[in-house]
Amino acid sequence: MKSLTQLFSLKKTEDSPVVFEENEDDREQIRITYYQSGFAASVKATGKPIVLKACLQNLYMSFEDQCRKQKLEQDKLKQPYREEQEKNRTELKKSEAAIGIFEKKEQDINDQIDLIKTEIIEVKRNPDKYGIEDGKGLKAQFYIGLFLLLPITLYLLVFYISASYSAFFKEFADDSLTAAIFDADALNNSFKASWLEGVLVVTIPFVFMGLGYVIHMVQKTKGYKNIIRMIALFTTTFLFDGLLAYIIEKKIYEFNKTPDSDPYDLNIALGESEFWMIIFAGFVVYIIWGLVFDFVMKEFENIDKIRAFIRGRKEKQIDLEKLKVDIINKINDFKQQVITINGKISELQSKIDGFVFPVKEYLHYHHQYKEGWFQAINTEIALAHNQKTELLENCETSSEEHLTKLNLVDPDFQHLVYSKN
């Protein structure tokens, strides 16, 4: 490192370059040297403002040139930019990694969507591949079962309307079992008596059918609890049928009894064939109806499996499409971040490749040089007081113009960065 005495000459108006040292004594010596340089140049130029302007320009150019040559000092000044650049590179790696992850997810979703589209087409051609029976044979079985179910349902409606009317409201005029089970005028007579009576008679068959539907739904789920439920439902249906048979048989017994007949009770009812005929005419047909109904419903479910399969796949495809949109939005956000971060890294790199001008330090030396210049005018140049005052004002104006041109008047920044173009 050259000594300051070699860099400065009091006999020259040219400004010397600056040497950056960490030692405070060296910095103080540089400050004094700038003061002395300004003092000497002012004496030689008799304080002329135009000369001051040239000297300040030379001072700035010399200081700037020295800044460019001081590698260690520049490395120190650029260290914050390097640290910031490193942080941005870390963020860049995170963003690029996130893009890779989300692009992999997008590809997986695209593969799933393509598979779903293939399955929707393939299931119609080869349903067995997906565990679904061929729908052609199932349709025939379904329509045969439905054809049988309709007349059995009609039979149950007629039977239970007539039987419930006979049990609850009818007054027997003969002991015919046929008249007890089937009354052609049961529906008309019940509504003639009361609309509530008619509604009761009409709705009782649907209670039995509702029990049949519940049995069908319960048996879909396996387990001991469901078996108990089914037994309870069949028992309830049987007891209901038994109650109707008991009441009807009682009315027949009461119609035929003699003064010597025993009072009607359950033992008598169980021993009468008519009692069991009424039960089997209702309960056995009800069991048959339940089996046919269950068969028809299962066949319909089998036919609907292909449509249900396709419907489920399309719903899944819609969900995947929504998820894909979210992932694409995230990818675009991260790509935008990459562009922004790359811009910051490039901007910081241009600052690192350029040089950092220490504004505050330059202004410190600038004011020292100017102080020396003004001091020389006050002490070494023989002029009248008003002339000195005018000269000092003109020199101050030249100094302000110099700083204004460099945009260094009252700066609010510590360093000025000259980026590399």
Side-chain angles (χ1 to χ4, degrees):
M1 183 73 66
K2 294 182 179 182
S3 66
L4 290 171
T5 55
Q6 291 175 312
L7 295 173
F8 290 93
S9 176
L10 297 179
K11 295 181 182 180
K12 295 182 179 180
T13 61
E14 292 81 9
D15 303 295
S16 76
V18 133
V19 179
F20 296 99
E21 296 286 349
E22 293 297 331
N23 190 294
E24 290 296 328
D25 292 337
D26 290 340
R27 290 188 179 275
E28 180 61 21
Q29 183 60 46
I30 293 173
R31 185 190 69 78
I32 294 173
T33 304
Y34 267 96
Y35 174 87
Q36 292 174 344
S37 179
F39 188 94
S42 179
V43 171
K44 186 174 181 181
T46 63
K48 293 179 181 178
I50 191 171
V51 179
L52 173 62
K53 186 175 181 180
C55 290
L56 290 176
Q57 183 64 29
N58 290 336
L59 172 69
Y60 173 79
M61 297 299 293
S62 177
F63 187 87
E64 180 184 337
D65 182 64
Q66 189 62 34
C67 287
R68 295 178 183 274
K69 293 178 181 179
Q70 294 298 321
K71 185 177 186 305
L72 291 177
E73 182 68 14
Q74 284 294 302
D75 288 342
K76 176 184 174 183
L77 295 174
K78 293 175 183 178
Q79 187 60 30
Y81 301 110
R82 290 192 176 93
E83 291 175 356
E84 185 178 355
Q85 189 181 56
E86 194 61 33
K87 290 180 181 178
N88 279 280
R89 283 175 177 160
T90 301
E91 292 298 322
L92 178 63
K93 290 179 180 178
K94 291 180 181 179
S95 297
E96 289 175 341
I99 290 174
I101 292 172
F102 283 112
E103 285 181 342
K104 179 63 170 59
K105 289 183 178 180
E106 182 188 6
Q107 183 59 47
D108 292 341
I109 290 175
N110 286 331
D111 293 341
Q112 293 181 53
I113 292 174
D114 291 339
L115 178 61
I116 288 173
K117 291 179 179 178
T118 302
E119 289 176 343
I120 290 174
I121 297 173
E122 187 67 21
V123 72
K124 297 177 181 178
R125 300 174 180 172
N126 187 14
D128 292 337
K129 181 179 179 181
Y130 302 95
I132 302 173
E133 296 182 27
D134 190 354
K136 294 180 179 179
L138 295 176
K139 286 184 179 180
Q141 297 173 16
F142 168 75
Y143 287 119
I144 292 172
L146 186 62
F147 177 77
L148 295 174
L149 182 64
L150 292 176
I152 297 174
T153 302
L154 184 61
Y155 168 84
L156 289 177
L157 286 171
V158 172
F159 172 80
Y160 281 111
I161 287 173
S162 179
S164 59
Y165 174 73
S166 297
F168 297 128
F169 307 110
K170 183 177 179 180
E171 295 294 335
F172 283 77
D174 59 55
D175 61 349
S176 171
L177 179 62
T178 304
I181 296 176
F182 176 73
D183 187 342
D185 296 323
L187 188 62
N188 292 331
N189 292 335
S190 61
F191 275 102
K192 286 179 181 180
S194 168
W195 70 270
L196 285 175
E197 181 177 321
V199 170
L200 177 63
V201 169
V202 170
T203 54
I204 284 178
F206 294 98
V207 174
F208 287 90
M209 294 179 190
L211 288 171
Y213 179 77
V214 172
I215 291 172
H216 166 75
M217 297 304 295
V218 168
Q219 72 174 351
K220 284 187 174 183
T221 307
K222 306 299 181 182
Y224 292 107
K225 290 183 179 180
N226 287 325
I227 293 175
I228 294 173
R229 290 191 186 103
M230 288 181 63
I231 293 173
L233 289 170
F234 276 113
T235 303
T236 301
T237 306
F238 179 79
L239 291 176
F240 197 172
D241 266 324
L243 179 62
L244 290 176
Y246 179 84
I247 295 173
I248 293 172
E249 178 58 27
K250 180 181 179 181
K251 288 185 176 183
I252 297 174
Y253 183 85
E254 292 292 337
F255 182 81
N256 293 322
K257 77 176 181 176
T258 64
D260 297 331
S261 300
D262 295 328
Y264 186 79
D265 57 17
L266 184 61
N267 289 328
I268 295 175
L270 294 175
E272 296 291 338
S273 60
E274 291 87 349
F275 175 81
W276 294 107
M277 283 293 294
I278 295 171
I279 289 178
F280 284 100
F283 185 73
V284 173
V285 176
Y286 168 77
I287 294 296
I288 296 172
W289 178 88
L291 292 174
V292 175
F293 175 78
D294 185 65
F295 174 80
V296 170
M297 291 299 295
K298 286 182 178 179
E299 295 304 308
F300 177 77
E301 289 171 0
N302 288 331
I303 294 173
D304 198 50
K305 280 182 179 179
I306 294 177
R307 284 180 289 181
F309 180 88
I310 294 174
R311 185 166 56 251
R313 286 295 185 270
K314 287 184 177 180
E315 289 175 355
K316 185 177 181 181
Q317 181 179 348
I318 291 172
D319 293 337
L320 289 173
E321 292 287 356
K322 292 179 180 178
L323 181 59
K324 179 181 175 182
V325 171
D326 292 338
I327 290 176
I328 290 175
N329 290 335
K330 290 180 180 179
I331 291 174
N332 292 334
D333 290 341
F334 279 112
K335 285 183 177 181
Q336 186 59 45
Q337 289 183 22
V338 168
I339 294 173
T340 302
I341 293 172
N342 278 324
K344 291 180 180 178
I345 292 174
S346 299
E347 182 181 351
L348 290 169
Q349 188 61 47
S350 66
K351 293 178 180 180
I352 293 170
D353 293 340
F355 84 99
V356 181
F357 184 78
V359 174
K360 297 293 184 182
E361 192 163 1
Y362 167 73
L363 291 177
H364 175 70
Y365 297 141
H366 168 89
H367 292 311
Q368 291 298 317
Y369 187 90
K370 187 178 71 171
E371 182 181 348
W373 187 281
F374 285 12
Q375 189 64 33
I377 293 175
N378 284 327
T379 60
E380 300 296 327
I381 300 175
L383 291 173
H385 177 72
N386 60 341
Q387 290 179 325
K388 281 188 178 184
T389 300
E390 183 180 358
L391 181 60
L392 289 170
E393 290 177 353
N394 291 334
C395 288
E396 179 65 25
T397 301
S398 296
S399 174
E400 292 294 330
E401 289 176 353
H402 169 74
L403 294 178
T404 300
K405 184 178 179 181
L406 298 174
N407 195 27
L408 297 178
V409 178
D410 297 328
D412 57 355
F413 43 86
Q414 180 71 31
H415 301 120
L416 183 63
V417 181
Y418 290 88
S419 300
K420 183 177 180 180
N421 295 328

